[in-house]
Amino acid sequence: MSDIRANTISDAAGTGPIELTKQATAKVWCTVNRGTNPVSFFQSFGITSVTDQGIGQYQVAFTSAFNTTRYANSGSCYTGSGHQMGVAGEAAASVYIRTFGWDGSAADVDCALISHGDLA
């Protein structure tokens, strides 16, 4: 069995990344660390910043914009049972998320976001 090892894989011209054909991958993902002030990330990919907009409200900005304001998002919360996360608004270069406690009230909790779609 052979191994393929490389530091960089570029297109045929050597000027950019390879194009994924008939494949999809998350363009953006992050785990939001609400336990810090200001709010930060545990880990992230394709994210430039997260801004605390109030209790249970976060604006996540992307490194590269999507080609539309309608792309697929999913997420989850880490702290306690019954916490929920939802998308409250999408822009091409950011997404606005909200986190809630089991009773439906806004709550500051650690959460994860994944976004799929075509980049601009």
Side-chain angles (χ1 to χ4, degrees), residues 55-86:
I55 296 174
Q57 302 174 50
Y58 312 102
Q59 184 80 25
V60 179
F62 308 144
T63 303
S64 298
F66 284 90
N67 68 352
T68 181
T69 58
R70 304 297 283 173
Y71 43 89
N73 293 291
S74 62
S76 61
C77 295
Y78 293 114
T79 307
S81 62
H83 287 92
Q84 305 171 47
M85 187 202 90

PDB file of all heavy atoms in Angstrom, residues 55-86:
ATOM      1  N   ILE A  55     -26.950  38.467  25.767  1.00  0.00           N
ATOM      2  CA  ILE A  55     -27.129  37.142  26.356  1.00  0.00           C
ATOM      3  C   ILE A  55     -27.622  36.172  25.288  1.00  0.00           C
ATOM      4  O   ILE A  55     -28.660  36.382  24.659  1.00  0.00           O
ATOM      5  CB  ILE A  55     -28.111  37.176  27.536  1.00  0.00           C
ATOM      6  CG1 ILE A  55     -27.537  38.041  28.655  1.00  0.00           C
ATOM      7  CG2 ILE A  55     -28.396  35.764  28.050  1.00  0.00           C
ATOM      8  CD1 ILE A  55     -28.486  38.271  29.810  1.00  0.00           C
ATOM      9  N   GLY A  56     -26.836  35.109  25.040  1.00  0.00           N
ATOM     10  CA  GLY A  56     -27.208  34.074  24.083  1.00  0.00           C
ATOM     11  C   GLY A  56     -27.221  34.513  22.637  1.00  0.00           C
ATOM     12  O   GLY A  56     -27.849  33.868  21.806  1.00  0.00           O
ATOM     13  N   GLN A  57     -26.519  35.591  22.299  1.00  0.00           N
ATOM     14  CA  GLN A  57     -26.529  36.107  20.930  1.00  0.00           C
ATOM     15  C   GLN A  57     -25.094  36.334  20.454  1.00  0.00           C
ATOM     16  O   GLN A  57     -24.327  37.021  21.119  1.00  0.00           O
ATOM     17  CB  GLN A  57     -27.279  37.435  20.865  1.00  0.00           C
ATOM     18  CG  GLN A  57     -28.705  37.343  21.355  1.00  0.00           C
ATOM     19  CD  GLN A  57     -29.352  38.710  21.406  1.00  0.00           C
ATOM     20  OE1 GLN A  57     -29.305  39.460  20.442  1.00  0.00           O
ATOM     21  NE2 GLN A  57     -29.959  39.021  22.533  1.00  0.00           N
ATOM     22  N   TYR A  58     -24.752  35.754  19.295  1.00  0.00           N
ATOM     23  CA  TYR A  58     -23.399  35.853  18.758  1.00  0.00           C
ATOM     24  C   TYR A  58     -23.441  36.122  17.260  1.00  0.00           C
ATOM     25  O   TYR A  58     -24.264  35.558  16.550  1.00  0.00           O
ATOM     26  CB  TYR A  58     -22.619  34.543  18.977  1.00  0.00           C
ATOM     27  CG  TYR A  58     -22.715  34.013  20.379  1.00  0.00           C
ATOM     28  CD1 TYR A  58     -23.566  32.967  20.684  1.00  0.00           C
ATOM     29  CD2 TYR A  58     -21.962  34.570  21.405  1.00  0.00           C
ATOM     30  CE1 TYR A  58     -23.670  32.477  21.973  1.00  0.00           C
ATOM     31  CE2 TYR A  58     -22.058  34.086  22.701  1.00  0.00           C
ATOM     32  CZ  TYR A  58     -22.918  33.038  22.979  1.00  0.00           C
ATOM     33  OH  TYR A  58     -23.014  32.569  24.259  1.00  0.00           O
ATOM     34  N   GLN A  59     -22.550  36.966  16.784  1.00  0.00           N
ATOM     35  CA  GLN A  59     -22.358  37.205  15.350  1.00  0.00           C
ATOM     36  C   GLN A  59     -21.031  36.563  14.977  1.00  0.00           C
ATOM     37  O   GLN A  59     -19.989  36.908  15.534  1.00  0.00           O
ATOM     38  CB  GLN A  59     -22.314  38.706  15.055  1.00  0.00           C
ATOM     39  CG  GLN A  59     -22.222  39.042  13.598  1.00  0.00           C
ATOM     40  CD  GLN A  59     -23.570  38.955  12.894  1.00  0.00           C
ATOM     41  OE1 GLN A  59     -24.612  39.084  13.512  1.00  0.00           O
ATOM     42  NE2 GLN A  59     -23.545  38.742  11.611  1.00  0.00           N
ATOM     43  N   VAL A  60     -21.050  35.588  14.061  1.00  0.00           N
ATOM     44  CA  VAL A  60     -19.848  34.879  13.632  1.00  0.00           C
ATOM     45  C   VAL A  60     -19.502  35.346  12.223  1.00  0.00           C
ATOM     46  O   VAL A  60     -20.307  35.204  11.308  1.00  0.00           O
ATOM     47  CB  VAL A  60     -20.067  33.350  13.661  1.00  0.00           C
ATOM     48  CG1 VAL A  60     -18.821  32.622  13.199  1.00  0.00           C
ATOM     49  CG2 VAL A  60     -20.472  32.885  15.061  1.00  0.00           C
ATOM     50  N   ALA A  61     -18.298  35.921  12.054  1.00  0.00           N
ATOM     51  CA  ALA A  61     -17.860  36.445  10.756  1.00  0.00           C
ATOM     52  C   ALA A  61     -16.951  35.439  10.059  1.00  0.00           C
ATOM     53  O   ALA A  61     -16.103  34.816  10.698  1.00  0.00           O
ATOM     54  CB  ALA A  61     -17.137  37.772  10.944  1.00  0.00           C
ATOM     55  N   PHE A  62     -17.119  35.296   8.745  1.00  0.00           N
ATOM     56  CA  PHE A  62     -16.390  34.315   7.948  1.00  0.00           C
ATOM     57  C   PHE A  62     -15.169  34.919   7.263  1.00  0.00           C
ATOM     58  O   PHE A  62     -15.177  36.089   6.891  1.00  0.00           O
ATOM     59  CB  PHE A  62     -17.289  33.715   6.868  1.00  0.00           C
ATOM     60  CG  PHE A  62     -18.593  33.163   7.376  1.00  0.00           C
ATOM     61  CD1 PHE A  62     -19.741  33.289   6.611  1.00  0.00           C
ATOM     62  CD2 PHE A  62     -18.683  32.530   8.599  1.00  0.00           C
ATOM     63  CE1 PHE A  62     -20.952  32.771   7.048  1.00  0.00           C
ATOM     64  CE2 PHE A  62     -19.887  32.010   9.058  1.00  0.00           C
ATOM     65  CZ  PHE A  62     -21.021  32.132   8.279  1.00  0.00           C
ATOM     66  N   THR A  63     -14.160  34.106   7.034  1.00  0.00           N
ATOM     67  CA  THR A  63     -12.976  34.505   6.284  1.00  0.00           C
ATOM     68  C   THR A  63     -13.335  34.769   4.822  1.00  0.00           C
ATOM     69  O   THR A  63     -12.896  35.747   4.231  1.00  0.00           O
ATOM     70  CB  THR A  63     -11.890  33.411   6.356  1.00  0.00           C
ATOM     71  OG1 THR A  63     -11.594  33.165   7.722  1.00  0.00           O
ATOM     72  CG2 THR A  63     -10.643  33.811   5.622  1.00  0.00           C
ATOM     73  N   SER A  64     -14.131  33.896   4.232  1.00  0.00           N
ATOM     74  CA  SER A  64     -14.591  34.035   2.845  1.00  0.00           C
ATOM     75  C   SER A  64     -16.108  34.014   2.826  1.00  0.00           C
ATOM     76  O   SER A  64     -16.729  33.188   3.493  1.00  0.00           O
ATOM     77  CB  SER A  64     -14.068  32.888   1.973  1.00  0.00           C
ATOM     78  OG  SER A  64     -12.666  32.906   1.929  1.00  0.00           O
ATOM     79  N   ALA A  65     -16.705  34.912   2.072  1.00  0.00           N
ATOM     80  CA  ALA A  65     -18.157  35.002   2.003  1.00  0.00           C
ATOM     81  C   ALA A  65     -18.746  33.858   1.180  1.00  0.00           C
ATOM     82  O   ALA A  65     -18.111  33.353   0.250  1.00  0.00           O
ATOM     83  CB  ALA A  65     -18.566  36.331   1.378  1.00  0.00           C
ATOM     84  N   PHE A  66     -19.967  33.470   1.517  1.00  0.00           N
ATOM     85  CA  PHE A  66     -20.718  32.534   0.693  1.00  0.00           C
ATOM     86  C   PHE A  66     -21.256  33.293  -0.521  1.00  0.00           C
ATOM     87  O   PHE A  66     -21.313  34.524  -0.518  1.00  0.00           O
ATOM     88  CB  PHE A  66     -21.867  31.915   1.489  1.00  0.00           C
ATOM     89  CG  PHE A  66     -21.421  30.866   2.468  1.00  0.00           C
ATOM     90  CD1 PHE A  66     -21.091  31.197   3.763  1.00  0.00           C
ATOM     91  CD2 PHE A  66     -21.332  29.537   2.085  1.00  0.00           C
ATOM     92  CE1 PHE A  66     -20.667  30.230   4.667  1.00  0.00           C
ATOM     93  CE2 PHE A  66     -20.917  28.555   2.976  1.00  0.00           C
ATOM     94  CZ  PHE A  66     -20.579  28.904   4.264  1.00  0.00           C
ATOM     95  N   ASN A  67     -21.685  32.564  -1.547  1.00  0.00           N
ATOM     96  CA  ASN A  67     -22.176  33.226  -2.754  1.00  0.00           C
ATOM     97  C   ASN A  67     -23.642  33.629  -2.645  1.00  0.00           C
ATOM     98  O   ASN A  67     -24.219  34.157  -3.584  1.00  0.00           O
ATOM     99  CB  ASN A  67     -21.951  32.357  -3.996  1.00  0.00           C
ATOM    100  CG  ASN A  67     -22.796  31.104  -3.998  1.00  0.00           C
ATOM    101  OD1 ASN A  67     -23.455  30.777  -3.017  1.00  0.00           O
ATOM    102  ND2 ASN A  67     -22.785  30.388  -5.109  1.00  0.00           N
ATOM    103  N   THR A  68     -24.249  33.386  -1.494  1.00  0.00           N
ATOM    104  CA  THR A  68     -25.643  33.725  -1.264  1.00  0.00           C
ATOM    105  C   THR A  68     -25.851  33.917   0.239  1.00  0.00           C
ATOM    106  O   THR A  68     -24.970  33.600   1.038  1.00  0.00           O
ATOM    107  CB  THR A  68     -26.570  32.593  -1.784  1.00  0.00           C
ATOM    108  OG1 THR A  68     -27.930  32.966  -1.556  1.00  0.00           O
ATOM    109  CG2 THR A  68     -26.282  31.275  -1.100  1.00  0.00           C
ATOM    110  N   THR A  69     -27.020  34.419   0.596  1.00  0.00           N
ATOM    111  CA  THR A  69     -27.347  34.550   2.014  1.00  0.00           C
ATOM    112  C   THR A  69     -28.161  33.358   2.503  1.00  0.00           C
ATOM    113  O   THR A  69     -28.641  33.361   3.623  1.00  0.00           O
ATOM    114  CB  THR A  69     -28.135  35.843   2.285  1.00  0.00           C
ATOM    115  OG1 THR A  69     -29.331  35.824   1.497  1.00  0.00           O
ATOM    116  CG2 THR A  69     -27.303  37.059   1.950  1.00  0.00           C
ATOM    117  N   ARG A  70     -28.299  32.340   1.669  1.00  0.00           N
ATOM    118  CA  ARG A  70     -29.036  31.120   2.036  1.00  0.00           C
ATOM    119  C   ARG A  70     -28.108  29.930   1.897  1.00  0.00           C
ATOM    120  O   ARG A  70     -27.873  29.449   0.796  1.00  0.00           O
ATOM    121  CB  ARG A  70     -30.269  30.947   1.152  1.00  0.00           C
ATOM    122  CG  ARG A  70     -31.216  32.118   1.165  1.00  0.00           C
ATOM    123  CD  ARG A  70     -31.815  32.385   2.490  1.00  0.00           C
ATOM    124  NE  ARG A  70     -32.860  31.431   2.775  1.00  0.00           N
ATOM    125  CZ  ARG A  70     -33.465  31.357   3.937  1.00  0.00           C
ATOM    126  NH1 ARG A  70     -33.133  32.132   4.911  1.00  0.00           N
ATOM    127  NH2 ARG A  70     -34.401  30.472   4.120  1.00  0.00           N
ATOM    128  N   TYR A  71     -27.550  29.454   3.000  1.00  0.00           N
ATOM    129  CA  TYR A  71     -26.666  28.299   3.025  1.00  0.00           C
ATOM    130  C   TYR A  71     -27.054  27.451   4.229  1.00  0.00           C
ATOM    131  O   TYR A  71     -27.839  27.883   5.070  1.00  0.00           O
ATOM    132  CB  TYR A  71     -25.188  28.729   3.064  1.00  0.00           C
ATOM    133  CG  TYR A  71     -24.916  29.874   4.011  1.00  0.00           C
ATOM    134  CD1 TYR A  71     -24.603  29.646   5.340  1.00  0.00           C
ATOM    135  CD2 TYR A  71     -25.003  31.190   3.580  1.00  0.00           C
ATOM    136  CE1 TYR A  71     -24.386  30.695   6.217  1.00  0.00           C
ATOM    137  CE2 TYR A  71     -24.774  32.242   4.441  1.00  0.00           C
ATOM    138  CZ  TYR A  71     -24.468  31.990   5.763  1.00  0.00           C
ATOM    139  OH  TYR A  71     -24.253  33.028   6.620  1.00  0.00           O
ATOM    140  N   ALA A  72     -26.534  26.266   4.301  1.00  0.00           N
ATOM    141  CA  ALA A  72     -26.946  25.325   5.345  1.00  0.00           C
ATOM    142  C   ALA A  72     -26.105  25.508   6.601  1.00  0.00           C
ATOM    143  O   ALA A  72     -24.878  25.532   6.548  1.00  0.00           O
ATOM    144  CB  ALA A  72     -26.799  23.893   4.833  1.00  0.00           C
ATOM    145  N   ASN A  73     -26.775  25.629   7.735  1.00  0.00           N
ATOM    146  CA  ASN A  73     -26.121  25.750   9.037  1.00  0.00           C
ATOM    147  C   ASN A  73     -26.660  24.686   9.977  1.00  0.00           C
ATOM    148  O   ASN A  73     -27.828  24.324   9.925  1.00  0.00           O
ATOM    149  CB  ASN A  73     -26.427  27.119   9.662  1.00  0.00           C
ATOM    150  CG  ASN A  73     -25.821  28.256   8.900  1.00  0.00           C
ATOM    151  OD1 ASN A  73     -24.620  28.419   8.879  1.00  0.00           O
ATOM    152  ND2 ASN A  73     -26.663  29.049   8.249  1.00  0.00           N
ATOM    153  N   SER A  74     -25.803  24.202  10.838  1.00  0.00           N
ATOM    154  CA  SER A  74     -26.246  23.332  11.918  1.00  0.00           C
ATOM    155  C   SER A  74     -25.385  23.632  13.129  1.00  0.00           C
ATOM    156  O   SER A  74     -24.301  24.199  13.018  1.00  0.00           O
ATOM    157  CB  SER A  74     -26.151  21.858  11.529  1.00  0.00           C
ATOM    158  OG  SER A  74     -24.810  21.513  11.251  1.00  0.00           O
ATOM    159  N   GLY A  75     -25.876  23.258  14.287  1.00  0.00           N
ATOM    160  CA  GLY A  75     -25.114  23.539  15.488  1.00  0.00           C
ATOM    161  C   GLY A  75     -25.648  22.807  16.697  1.00  0.00           C
ATOM    162  O   GLY A  75     -26.693  22.159  16.646  1.00  0.00           O
ATOM    163  N   SER A  76     -24.913  22.933  17.772  1.00  0.00           N
ATOM    164  CA  SER A  76     -25.303  22.303  19.021  1.00  0.00           C
ATOM    165  C   SER A  76     -24.669  23.053  20.182  1.00  0.00           C
ATOM    166  O   SER A  76     -23.762  23.858  19.993  1.00  0.00           O
ATOM    167  CB  SER A  76     -24.853  20.835  19.044  1.00  0.00           C
ATOM    168  OG  SER A  76     -23.440  20.773  18.942  1.00  0.00           O
ATOM    169  N   CYS A  77     -25.168  22.795  21.371  1.00  0.00           N
ATOM    170  CA  CYS A  77     -24.638  23.411  22.589  1.00  0.00           C
ATOM    171  C   CYS A  77     -23.970  22.359  23.450  1.00  0.00           C
ATOM    172  O   CYS A  77     -24.331  21.186  23.417  1.00  0.00           O
ATOM    173  CB  CYS A  77     -25.756  24.069  23.385  1.00  0.00           C
ATOM    174  SG  CYS A  77     -26.513  25.445  22.540  1.00  0.00           S
ATOM    175  N   TYR A  78     -22.984  22.798  24.231  1.00  0.00           N
ATOM    176  CA  TYR A  78     -22.220  21.888  25.071  1.00  0.00           C
ATOM    177  C   TYR A  78     -22.599  21.930  26.542  1.00  0.00           C
ATOM    178  O   TYR A  78     -22.416  20.976  27.259  1.00  0.00           O
ATOM    179  CB  TYR A  78     -20.722  22.214  24.979  1.00  0.00           C
ATOM    180  CG  TYR A  78     -20.137  21.927  23.629  1.00  0.00           C
ATOM    181  CD1 TYR A  78     -19.675  22.949  22.834  1.00  0.00           C
ATOM    182  CD2 TYR A  78     -20.048  20.632  23.149  1.00  0.00           C
ATOM    183  CE1 TYR A  78     -19.125  22.694  21.596  1.00  0.00           C
ATOM    184  CE2 TYR A  78     -19.513  20.366  21.914  1.00  0.00           C
ATOM    185  CZ  TYR A  78     -19.042  21.392  21.139  1.00  0.00           C
ATOM    186  OH  TYR A  78     -18.511  21.135  19.918  1.00  0.00           O
ATOM    187  N   THR A  79     -23.082  23.044  27.028  1.00  0.00           N
ATOM    188  CA  THR A  79     -23.251  23.239  28.459  1.00  0.00           C
ATOM    189  C   THR A  79     -24.627  22.794  28.923  1.00  0.00           C
ATOM    190  O   THR A  79     -25.621  23.362  28.511  1.00  0.00           O
ATOM    191  CB  THR A  79     -23.030  24.716  28.827  1.00  0.00           C
ATOM    192  OG1 THR A  79     -21.779  25.119  28.293  1.00  0.00           O
ATOM    193  CG2 THR A  79     -23.022  24.920  30.310  1.00  0.00           C
ATOM    194  N   GLY A  80     -24.687  21.815  29.775  1.00  0.00           N
ATOM    195  CA  GLY A  80     -25.938  21.390  30.376  1.00  0.00           C
ATOM    196  C   GLY A  80     -26.871  20.679  29.424  1.00  0.00           C
ATOM    197  O   GLY A  80     -26.729  20.732  28.220  1.00  0.00           O
ATOM    198  N   SER A  81     -27.835  20.016  29.970  1.00  0.00           N
ATOM    199  CA  SER A  81     -28.795  19.308  29.138  1.00  0.00           C
ATOM    200  C   SER A  81     -29.924  20.253  28.734  1.00  0.00           C
ATOM    201  O   SER A  81     -30.293  21.154  29.476  1.00  0.00           O
ATOM    202  CB  SER A  81     -29.363  18.108  29.893  1.00  0.00           C
ATOM    203  OG  SER A  81     -30.051  18.551  31.045  1.00  0.00           O
ATOM    204  N   GLY A  82     -30.436  20.047  27.551  1.00  0.00           N
ATOM    205  CA  GLY A  82     -31.579  20.808  27.094  1.00  0.00           C
ATOM    206  C   GLY A  82     -31.259  22.147  26.468  1.00  0.00           C
ATOM    207  O   GLY A  82     -32.163  22.843  26.048  1.00  0.00           O
ATOM    208  N   HIS A  83     -29.995  22.549  26.401  1.00  0.00           N
ATOM    209  CA  HIS A  83     -29.667  23.811  25.749  1.00  0.00           C
ATOM    210  C   HIS A  83     -29.800  23.652  24.242  1.00  0.00           C
ATOM    211  O   HIS A  83     -29.587  22.582  23.691  1.00  0.00           O
ATOM    212  CB  HIS A  83     -28.249  24.266  26.121  1.00  0.00           C
ATOM    213  CG  HIS A  83     -28.159  24.760  27.523  1.00  0.00           C
ATOM    214  ND1 HIS A  83     -27.827  23.942  28.583  1.00  0.00           N
ATOM    215  CD2 HIS A  83     -28.369  25.981  28.046  1.00  0.00           C
ATOM    216  CE1 HIS A  83     -27.832  24.641  29.694  1.00  0.00           C
ATOM    217  NE2 HIS A  83     -28.163  25.887  29.392  1.00  0.00           N
ATOM    218  N   GLN A  84     -30.140  24.748  23.563  1.00  0.00           N
ATOM    219  CA  GLN A  84     -30.368  24.721  22.128  1.00  0.00           C
ATOM    220  C   GLN A  84     -29.649  25.881  21.452  1.00  0.00           C
ATOM    221  O   GLN A  84     -29.410  26.906  22.077  1.00  0.00           O
ATOM    222  CB  GLN A  84     -31.854  24.873  21.835  1.00  0.00           C
ATOM    223  CG  GLN A  84     -32.737  23.864  22.521  1.00  0.00           C
ATOM    224  CD  GLN A  84     -34.189  24.239  22.345  1.00  0.00           C
ATOM    225  OE1 GLN A  84     -34.630  24.566  21.252  1.00  0.00           O
ATOM    226  NE2 GLN A  84     -34.942  24.205  23.432  1.00  0.00           N
ATOM    227  N   MET A  85     -29.345  25.710  20.166  1.00  0.00           N
ATOM    228  CA  MET A  85     -28.764  26.778  19.369  1.00  0.00           C
ATOM    229  C   MET A  85     -29.560  26.900  18.084  1.00  0.00           C
ATOM    230  O   MET A  85     -29.988  25.900  17.522  1.00  0.00           O
ATOM    231  CB  MET A  85     -27.307  26.482  19.016  1.00  0.00           C
ATOM    232  CG  MET A  85     -26.626  27.650  18.332  1.00  0.00           C
ATOM    233  SD  MET A  85     -25.194  27.155  17.367  1.00  0.00           S
ATOM    234  CE  MET A  85     -25.972  26.853  15.804  1.00  0.00           C
ATOM    235  N   GLY A  86     -29.772  28.114  17.628  1.00  0.00           N
ATOM    236  CA  GLY A  86     -30.469  28.332  16.378  1.00  0.00           C
ATOM    237  C   GLY A  86     -29.860  29.481  15.602  1.00  0.00           C
ATOM    238  O   GLY A  86     -29.205  30.345  16.177  1.00  0.00           O
TER     239      GLY A  86
END
